Amino acid sequence: MSNSYVDWEFAKTTGRTLVAAGPTVSADEAAEEVGAIRAAALRAHGPVAETSRLSTPDSAPEALVVDRPTWIAMNADSMGAMLNPAFEQIVSKRGSAPSGVGAAIGGKVTGAEAGALLAFMSSKVLGQYDLAPGGTPALLLVAPNLVQTQRELGVDAEDFRAWVCMHEETHRVQFTAVPWLRDHMIAEARQLATDMAPDQERIQELTKRLAEKLPELFSNGSGGITDLVTTPEQRAKLAELTAVMSLLEGHADVVMDDVGPAHIPSVAHIRAKFTERRKGAGAVDKMLRRLLGLEAKMRQYKDGAAFVRGVQDKVGVDGFNAIWTSPETLPKPLEITDPGAWVTRVHG
């Protein structure tokens, strides 16, 4: 039944068709790069475990080095596994499901949209911890994007690989050393998807509001299209999930920079160039980021790193690691910009 909502196979085909070509490399160079990324991911284990004081069990799978089409296919599978139960819940709430030709066409349209979004994202993502609901979670490193970004920044290739792998290994340790976190994130995302699904009346109202409010969506400080399509209650729920995402990204940024000096000679130079690059996106890129609310997310990642540093300054790394105790000890939206409030609530 769930396949009638989004045709995920069609999303993969669309994504593969639209994906931008990667940087030009020979077959030998590509094989060498894949080997070098894999080695950098392995070398990141010890320093990240030591700095974060969290350890991944030996049974956890190693990082996978992938190309853009593979990243698209794996993310389409994960999105399907994440959202299909939410679609089923929505249908059981409404009491009817689309059927026949209409459902097939609808599935193709949404599949095309999902594929286009995945194609756009597949050239941006350096690495990702794929939660793979219902499957085996894995750390993905996107080889062509590491090569392209390193060339664009003009930084040392070996140091850049190591730096990215430190960040992504921190995500791997977050989800493998904290066993409940993956299930918690999947459950929260599914619940949010179910709650945010609009009914027919709301779709008509949103279409009208979209025409009126479109200019505001591109303004500085806008949360993008989510500001428009969510109710205040949904935004509160979204803020809770975003606070946790900010924590995960901020923690990975702090660990990668703390590990850096001892293992990556040019870490300060890489960080400076990377931060500069985040600011200097092209006009179309900036427009898409604003529309999708990605600019707001960038600000939240900064908040996340400031939060982690703020907590560690007060209670040290071990005191900070109390954050991984249970869903109740994760930061609330207001605490992300006020580390002292989290310390008071959790440590008294």
Side-chain angles (χ1 to χ4, degrees):
M1 164 170 74
S2 47
N3 285 348
S4 56
Y5 298 100
V6 179
D7 184 336
W8 293 107
E9 290 307 315
F10 191 65
K12 290 180 197 178
T13 306
T14 306
R16 278 197 302 270
T17 307
L18 297 178
V19 70
T24 311
V25 287
S26 70
D28 286 351
E29 283 172 327
E32 201 178 309
E33 184 65 29
V34 167
I37 294 170
R38 205 169 275 138
L42 281 169
R43 280 197 301 273
H45 290 189
V48 166
E50 198 183 314
T51 304
S52 66
R53 297 186 199 164
L54 296 169
S55 33
T56 292
D58 294 337
S59 57
E62 287 306 333
L64 298 175
V65 183
V66 298
D67 60 10
R68 290 171 182 176
T70 306
W71 183 89
I72 289 169
M74 291 180 79
N75 273 270
D77 287 341
S78 290
M79 283 169 79
M82 175 80 83
L83 295 175
N84 287 343
F87 290 142
E88 278 158 22
Q89 222 183 316
I90 292 160
V91 168
S92 67
K93 264 199 318 198
R94 292 186 189 162
S96 68
S99 58
V101 178
I105 293 168
K108 286 278 188 287
V109 172
T110 46
E113 289 159 353
L117 183 63
L118 286 169
F120 172 73
M121 296 302 289
S122 73
S123 62
K124 309 282 171 200
V125 175
L126 298 176
Q128 169 205 5
Y129 190 80
D130 178 18
L131 294 179
T136 306
L139 177 57
L140 310 180
L141 293 159
V142 191
N145 298 353
L146 265 85
V147 173
Q148 189 169 319
T149 306
Q150 177 265 321
R151 285 179 180 178
E152 283 170 5
L153 296 177
V155 292
D156 181 85
E158 191 179 336
D159 282 7
F160 184 69
R161 279 192 291 266
W163 188 68
V164 171
C165 287
M166 297 296 180
H167 180 102
E168 299 305 338
E169 173 61 20
T170 307
H171 286 316
R172 193 175 86 107
V173 89
Q174 287 162 349
F175 283 100
T176 53
V178 185
W180 55 266
L181 186 60
R182 175 179 170 246
D183 288 342
H184 173 72
M185 293 295 283
I186 291 169
E188 291 294 298
R190 276 181 180 157
Q191 193 52 57
L192 193 63
T194 307
D195 292 346
M196 283 174 67
D199 53 28
Q200 202 54 46
E201 261 173 53
R202 180 134 171 79
I203 287 172
Q204 285 162 354
E205 179 204 330
L206 289 174
T207 309
K208 184 166 167 277
R209 283 184 66 203
L210 185 61
E212 292 166 3
K213 303 271 186 179
L214 199 59
E216 285 174 34
L217 294 184
F218 294 105
S219 67
N220 234 332
S222 157
I225 208 156
T226 48
D227 279 357
L228 184 70
V229 301
T230 51
T231 64
E233 295 76 23
Q234 288 164 349
R235 279 198 290 280
K237 271 264 184 81
L238 195 56
E240 280 179 28
L241 194 58
T242 305
V244 181
M245 300 288 281
S246 301
L247 160 73
L248 298 177
E249 285 298 330
H251 181 234
D253 265 4
V254 167
V255 170
M256 85 197 282
D257 287 346
D258 284 357
V259 165
H263 297 270
I264 306 164
S266 60
V267 64
H269 176 62
I270 293 173
R271 166 56 76 196
K273 296 279 278 191
F274 198 75
T275 304
E276 202 180 303
R277 179 178 182 265
R278 272 181 177 173
K279 281 188 254 175
V284 174
D285 220 41
K286 277 187 171 158
M287 192 173 80
L288 273 166
R289 282 180 183 185
R290 278 192 186 166
L291 188 58
L292 296 169
L294 294 177
E295 265 197 0
K297 281 186 178 57
M298 288 301 198
R299 285 194 297 279
Q300 281 145 356
Y301 291 166
K302 260 195 326 214
D303 293 343
F307 169 81
V308 174
R309 292 229 179 267
V311 171
Q312 289 184 354
D313 287 348
K314 286 179 167 31
V315 293
V317 174
D318 291 328
F320 166 79
N321 280 347
I323 214 156
W324 311 116
T325 310
S326 75
E328 283 64 51
T329 50
L330 291 171
K332 309 282 182 207
L334 291 174
E335 291 170 345
I336 277 289
T337 51
D338 184 0
W342 180 87
V343 172
T344 303
R345 178 170 71 84
V346 173
H347 288 281

